[in-house]
Amino acid sequence: MKLIRTACFASVFALATPAFAQNAQTDQPAQEADASAAAATGDIIVTASRQSTLLSKTPITLTALNGDQLRSAGVTDARALTNSVPNLALTESGDAVRISIRGVTSTDTTEKGDPSAAFLQDGIYIARPADVLGSFYDVERIEVLRGPQGTLYGRNTTAGVINVISALPKDEFGASVDASYGNLDSVDASGMINLRVADGLGVRAAVNYQRQDPFYTLASPATMKLNPFREVFSGRLSFGGKVGENLTFVIRGDYSNTKGSGTNGNTVTLDRFYDPATVGIKTKNPVYRDGDADFQRTLTVAPTYPTQRNNKNYGIMGEFTYDFGPVQATYLGSYRKTDRNDTRNLLLFGALNNPAFFFGNFKQDSHELRLAFGKGSPLHGQIGGYYFHEKSAIEFNLGAPLSGFVVPNATGFAFPQGPTVSRSKAVFGQLTYDITPDFHLTGGIRYNNDFKSRNGATVVDFADVTKSICGKARCVLNENIASRTFKKTIWKVGLDYDVPGLGLVYAAVSTGYKAGGFNDGCVTGSGVGCALTPAVLYYNPENLTNYEAGVKFRISPAFRFNAAVFHYDYSSLQVSQVVTVPIPATLISNAAKAKVDGLELEATLKPSNTLTFDLGYTYTNARYSKFSPDPVNFPNFSFTGAALDQAPKHVATVGMTKVFPLGNGGRFEAAVRSRMSSEYFIIDLNNLSQFRQPSFTKTDATLTYTAPGDRYYVQGFVRNIENKITISNASTGLAAGATIGAPRLYGVRAGVKF
């Protein structure tokens, strides 16, 4: 949309961040000043610009939810954010979460793939999408930044950033317990205790347990006991505070153990949603057929093999800021490890149960050093360096009957991969010049150097060596050998103006980048079974340019209004498909070009101290501007003009909260919120088609009693009152099936503070 691009350029050299980057979590005087301002205006403190600022004064398009808002909305893990954040979709794909922001997403959740939106835990980038499925507990707030954020946040932030920020330890005693129980035998229980260590120092411990049964119901009894869909135990220990006048820090260690069936507990056959006569026809979109929730949730093929995860995550991180006077230095570093051990019942072609197992280990470490300078001066900013390293070794093994389809008499068809290595180095800088105290010009730049490599193979196993094709128990069909470096400089420039008595106006032009990668196989002559050209083995980086402008107005104490308009030029999208010829594999290719135009509106009306209305509307026109997925076999077929995945054109939200004060100082609070979405699509490259999810409405409601002094609360809740079952993911071919969202959920929650 030329009008959007011209308007943004006319406003700017735009960057949406005043870039003085003092430590976000440990700049205590700034936090205290902002806290006073926030309390007076009903605002919230955020750290999206790597410093503590008021949400209303931060020139970035973002949504921030504090702990109370998360509890009220029932956001206990990443999937639940979809209903609370504009233009965000978090859906399950395989055994991982796929994040889509404004239609920009990644479809490769394997050990070699990267997301298009970065998920951060306390500022630490979490590399594997499967690790995003952890529980949210003892959370201070969650910030969702929309649009490319690479200048400050680095790798894989083309779509945006989700940053989950844990509560900091304090130098005082505090404790709390929260628990809920609902249908699907859902349990969510958390506990926290905070102790004073010394003046300015505290230690904080928190634990959480979650479980939930599968979303599907069985058409016939299973031959074995079914595991819960989700069963997670998590714990976190934090120590930190302020030492002297200059040093602030926090150190955290965390652990989680994830069990349950995972995505298998949410997958049904395609005939629950689409006319079977229209599925599997090349270049033709399946026809959606209506059905009630009971019909759509029914799994007609009962599992015959066990499905159970036993995944363990460990992590330690530290953040330290020292104020040298003219310069403030911040170090943020972490080490994380994930051990995965899964057994699975895979439903092949929507009809055939097949056993499989997955095991592997993933290790990552990251280090960032930032130097902030110019505090209080018209020219201020930061420079820094970043290093990230990840190494993994995995094996995914599919048993019979699939293995026998690949090679007769084979009892296993496996993908032992490792080591797979990802390494990223970056240097960055960002400056802000205060043209006047209210008018700021900002520019930032970042240089990225990304290296990826993998050594692995595609193999078949034989229980009977006499039937082996190579005379051994394991035979290599082809090696997977690849190594490549990608380099890119990204930038962002912008203006923001704090209009006296009204609020913030900002505009930005920014670029985003996600490194390229490689498919299974190897270049001809480099190993066993190698028969690919470099052009087929490797795929290119994604690139995005964003033109954006917005306002954050406080019209009166009773009325807030935010708006953003944006245009994306998006090239070399990375899309994936599962192929079965010559052997089953995942193939990544670049989808040429796409464009996204959008408008986001949010308003809060508070006619009285006891009544609040929240209104929102998003328009997103996200479409392929050039994409011919199979020009050799289907030269006349094109996805040009087709919608990008998980990008409804229209979404409207309406919420109301009414507080009923009681004479004893307690209160009742009733809240209801509806989200109305137009249709969206999910591409199926296996079949050169798109699955359509029709328009729908989902409504949530809560009724909460809070005791005097907020000592305890009791809440009843219901989510998805309409019991509308929606599609999160769908495909034909080998992995044919539909992953469904949650049905109606209801229950009670209670908590107490000490």
Side-chain angles (χ1 to χ4, degrees):
M1 189 183 291
K2 291 183 178 180
L3 179 61
I4 298 175
R5 184 164 46 195
T6 303
C8 295
F9 240 122
S11 307
V12 69
F13 312 134
L15 175 79
T17 19
F20 171 70
Q22 184 136 352
N23 177 282
Q25 295 198 46
T26 55
D27 185 10
Q28 196 154 349
Q31 283 186 337
E32 292 172 355
D34 283 340
S36 299
T41 62
D43 213 333
I44 184 173
I45 298 172
V46 297
T47 55
S49 60
R50 299 284 195 167
Q51 66 172 357
S52 295
T53 59
L54 294 173
L55 175 62
S56 63
K57 303 297 183 183
T58 305
I60 299 174
T61 306
L62 78 148
T63 298
L65 302 170
N66 62 30
D68 290 339
Q69 292 170 320
L70 294 170
R71 183 190 71 190
S72 179
V75 178
T76 58
D77 60 63
R79 299 165 302 154
L81 285 172
T82 298
N83 293 329
S84 299
V85 178
N87 256 332
L88 172 69
L90 289 100
T91 55
E92 289 172 280
S93 176
D95 197 32
V97 164
R98 179 179 166 190
I99 304 173
S100 176
I101 301 177
R102 294 175 170 173
V104 179
T105 188
S106 173
T107 55
D108 185 2
T109 60
T110 68
E111 80 287 347
K112 62 182 178 60
D114 289 318
S116 294
F119 186 91
L120 279 62
Q121 177 71 48
D122 297 312
I124 301 299
Y125 172 69
I126 306 299
R128 290 303 100 214
D131 295 342
V132 173
L133 284 167
S135 305
F136 293 167
Y137 61 101
D138 196 32
V139 171
E140 181 70 26
R141 68 186 175 278
I142 295 176
E143 300 176 7
V144 182
L145 288 63
R146 301 191 287 281
Q149 308 292 329
T151 306
L152 284 180
Y153 285 90
R155 67 194 318 263
N156 303 330
T157 58
T158 309
V161 171
I162 300 174
N163 193 8
V164 181
I165 301 165
S166 307
L168 284 168
K170 302 176 182 179
D171 61 347
E172 61 186 27
F173 174 77
S176 65
V177 176
D178 294 84
S180 68
Y181 182 79
N183 63 322
L184 300 185
D185 204 13
S186 302
V187 177
D188 187 354
S190 298
M192 180 278 296
I193 184 168
N194 190 104
L195 300 173
R196 182 181 185 274
V197 175
D199 188 22
L201 296 176
V203 62
R204 189 181 189 97
V207 295
N208 174 264
Y209 173 78
Q210 290 184 8
R211 74 143 347 255
Q212 188 176 57
D213 281 343
F215 294 166
Y216 66 62
T217 59
L218 291 175
S220 57
T223 58
M224 68 187 71
K225 179 182 178 181
L226 297 180
N227 290 307
F229 151 62
R230 178 178 175 85
E231 186 171 22
V232 184
F233 173 79
S234 307
R236 181 170 56 245
L237 182 66
S238 307
F239 170 62
K242 189 169 184 178
V243 179
E245 295 297 321
N246 299 321
L247 176 64
T248 50
F249 74 97
V250 62
I251 300 171
R252 292 188 176 97
D254 65 85
Y255 167 81
S256 66
N257 183 202
T258 301
K259 297 183 178 181
S261 61
T263 309
N264 278 33
N266 297 344
T267 302
V268 297
T269 51
L270 288 170
D271 65 315
R272 300 292 92 183
F273 293 88
Y274 300 96
D275 182 352
T278 66
V279 175
I281 304 174
K282 284 285 186 180
T283 75
K284 300 295 183 182
N285 292 340
V287 175
Y288 187 90
R289 63 176 184 179
D290 289 321
D292 61 27
D294 290 339
F295 175 82
Q296 293 176 332
R297 292 174 57 200
T298 301
L299 180 61
T300 55
V301 183
T304 56
Y305 302 100
T307 296
Q308 175 64 54
R309 297 176 296 175
N310 187 16
N311 303 335
K312 299 178 181 180
N313 301 78
Y314 315 80
I316 186 168
M317 62 82 63
E319 188 171 13
F320 304 82
T321 293
Y322 193 88
D323 190 345
F324 290 96
V327 175
Q328 295 76 41
T330 297
Y331 168 78
L332 175 64
S334 77
Y335 171 80
R336 301 197 63 82
K337 179 184 178 184
T338 299
D339 294 324
R340 294 182 58 186
N341 187 358
D342 307 352
T343 57
R344 307 178 184 181
N345 182 102
L346 299 183
L347 186 60
L348 305 181
F349 306 105
L352 184 64
N353 286 313
N354 198 95
F357 66 83
F358 180 100
F359 62 84
N361 62 79
F362 303 80
K363 300 176 183 179
Q364 71 166 73
D365 62 279
S366 62
H367 309 272
E368 182 178 71
L369 179 64
R370 302 192 304 269
L371 300 177
F373 53 88
K375 184 178 182 181
S377 301
L379 182 64
H380 47 90
Q382 64 174 317
I383 58 173
Y386 177 79
Y387 175 82
F388 171 86
H389 176 260
E390 182 189 21
K391 185 176 181 180
S392 67
I394 66 104
E395 178 166 328
F396 185 33
N397 196 313
L398 299 96
L402 177 63
S403 57
F405 297 159
V406 177
V407 175
N409 301 312
T411 55
F413 174 53
F415 305 87
Q417 314 287 8
T420 301
V421 175
S422 176
R423 186 167 58 244
S424 181
K425 304 174 185 177
V427 291
F428 59 90
Q430 187 164 286
L431 291 174
T432 294
Y433 179 67
D434 301 337
I435 301 171
T436 72
D438 296 322
F439 190 28
H440 313 111
L441 169 66
T442 304
I445 191 168
R446 188 183 190 103
Y447 171 77
N448 299 279
N449 182 300
D450 292 308
F451 169 80
K452 293 183 176 182
S453 70
R454 183 178 68 171
N455 287 282
T458 303
V459 304
V460 286
D461 297 328
F462 295 88
D464 185 350
V465 177
T466 63
K467 297 179 180 180
S468 170
I469 60 174
C470 67
K472 300 178 182 178
R474 170 161 285 190
C475 303
V476 176
L477 298 180
N478 68 266
E479 293 185 86
N480 297 320
I481 304 171
S483 176
R484 183 151 288 193
T485 298
F486 304 92
K487 302 176 182 179
K488 183 71 174 181
T489 299
I490 55 178
W491 51 268
K492 188 175 184 180
V493 291
L495 291 169
D496 64 89
Y497 179 57
D498 197 352
V499 182
L502 187 59
L504 191 68
V505 179
Y506 63 94
V509 179
S510 59
T511 59
Y513 148 84
K514 187 178 78 169
F518 39 80
N519 290 300
D520 290 345
C522 40
V523 174
T524 301
S526 61
V528 176
C530 296
L532 301 180
T533 64
V536 175
L537 178 62
Y538 296 100
Y539 53 89
N540 297 321
E542 291 183 342
N543 295 287
L544 185 149
T545 301
N546 174 33
Y547 307 86
E548 185 155 353
V551 300
K552 297 183 179 183
F553 286 163
R554 187 170 184 258
I555 310 298
S556 71
F559 181 36
R560 293 179 181 271
F561 175 74
N562 297 337
V565 60
F566 59 90
H567 170 81
Y568 288 177
D569 286 325
Y570 195 9
S571 62
S572 298
L573 283 76
Q574 299 165 5
V575 295
S576 64
Q577 64 185 116
V578 178
V579 297
T580 56
V581 179
I583 59 176
T586 299
L587 177 66
I588 311 296
S589 61
N590 295 101
K593 298 179 180 180
K595 293 185 181 295
V596 184
D597 298 304
L599 172 69
E600 297 171 346
L601 304 175
E602 296 176 277
T604 300
L605 293 83
K606 196 166 186 177
S608 70
N609 290 333
T610 61
L611 181 62
T612 303
F613 294 96
D614 294 297
L615 307 173
Y617 169 76
T618 63
Y619 167 80
T620 307
N621 185 10
R623 71 278 185 195
Y624 295 102
S625 58
K626 183 180 180 182
F627 183 23
S628 298
D630 192 353
V632 175
N633 298 306
F634 295 89
N636 297 321
F637 179 81
S638 173
F639 275 118
T640 300
L644 299 185
D645 276 15
Q646 300 282 353
K649 187 165 286 189
H650 305 279
V651 175
T653 56
V654 179
M656 183 189 74
T657 302
K658 175 64 177 176
V659 178
F660 302 91
L662 302 177
N664 65 352
R667 64 187 183 277
F668 276 102
E669 180 178 294
V672 61
R673 187 176 190 275
S674 285
R675 181 177 186 268
M676 295 151 280
S677 172
S678 64
E679 65 182 10
Y680 62 78
F681 296 87
I682 300 169
I683 197 168
D684 180 26
L685 287 180
N686 303 323
N687 204 49
L688 301 183
S689 60
Q690 287 184 304
F691 289 97
R692 171 178 168 267
Q693 166 61 57
S695 59
F696 61 90
T697 298
K698 292 184 179 182
T699 303
D700 302 337
T702 59
L703 179 62
T704 309
Y705 170 74
T706 304
D710 294 345
R711 297 190 312 273
Y712 67 88
Y713 72 92
V714 179
Q715 181 186 83
F717 64 86
V718 57
R719 313 204 188 285
N720 187 9
I721 293 174
E722 297 84 353
N723 200 22
K724 182 62 180 178
I725 309 300
T726 53
I727 294 291
S728 300
N729 194 33
S731 64
T732 57
L734 180 67
T739 303
I740 61 176
R744 181 189 298 125
L745 301 175
Y746 52 86
V748 294
R749 177 182 292 109
V752 60
K753 295 180 180 179
F754 302 95

